[in-house]
Amino acid sequence: MTPTSLITNLQITSVIKSCTEILREKYNNQIRFEQYGRKGQGQNGIDIYGELSSEYIVAQCKNYFGINATKTLINKIDKDLNMSKKLPFYNKVKKFIIMTSMDRDTGIQNYIERKKQEVDFKLEVWFWQDMQKIICQAENRDLLQQYYPSLYQESEIDEDYIIPKDKN
């Protein structure tokens, strides 16, 4: 088997839940990340937030595919960054993470690099490849088993190995 990628066709509620758990794992459960608000409420440009020592890490989850995904995501990031200024804890935001199901994209990367000059916090984009590395790390096998039970094979997982996509 050759490494490829995990399937990214989760529903948006599953995407937000999985992104929340990915953040928890990335930060070794030292930050209590949770969904910000609920569907139908104004979320001020974020889906997830976590606080540590009076500083916040916030995230926006985007499950975009298709030909216009780059342009759509750039427009949405702009809107979300502007909306985030309404957060009651905006001045305490240390990091804003865009978590997307998109494959790595130079258009998005270049846009994020330009936007970093305009904000007072760290701005990052995590593409699906970045998130799948976290999911497939040996210590995070529970995430792989939870979201991809049909792909979970304990004997084949290791930190540098990505489970192949189902070809069906």
Side-chain angles (χ1 to χ4, degrees), residues 1 6-7 9 141 143-154 156-157 163-168:
M1 286 196 292
L6 296 175
I7 301 165
N9 62 348
R141 290 180 183 180
L143 288 179
L144 184 65
Q145 188 173 21
Q146 179 179 352
Y147 291 102
Y148 302 96
S150 64
L151 298 178
Y152 181 79
Q153 298 173 14
E154 188 169 343
E156 293 187 22
I157 300 170
I163 302 295
K165 184 188 295 188
D166 184 13
K167 302 281 186 201
N168 296 330

Side-chain angles (χ1 to χ4, degrees), residues 33-97:
F33 287 99
E34 60 184 83
Q35 185 172 343
Y36 187 69
R38 66 180 185 277
K39 186 176 181 176
Q41 287 188 313
Q43 295 174 296
N44 297 322
I46 67 169
D47 289 317
I48 303 166
Y49 75 114
E51 179 186 9
L52 179 66
S53 303
S54 298
E55 294 184 319
Y56 288 83
I57 296 175
V58 300
Q60 178 57 255
C61 308
K62 297 297 177 198
N63 194 19
Y64 292 150
F65 299 96
I67 295 171
N68 295 320
T70 299
K71 183 178 178 182
T72 301
L73 183 56
I74 286 172
N75 290 335
K76 188 64 175 143
I77 292 170
D78 239 5
K79 182 179 175 186
D80 291 335
L81 286 172
N82 284 327
M83 289 176 58
S84 71
K85 294 174 185 175
K86 297 178 185 175
L87 290 167
F89 49 85
Y90 178 78
N91 62 340
K92 296 180 181 180
V93 173
K94 173 184 172 183
K95 185 183 288 188
F96 194 119
I97 304 168

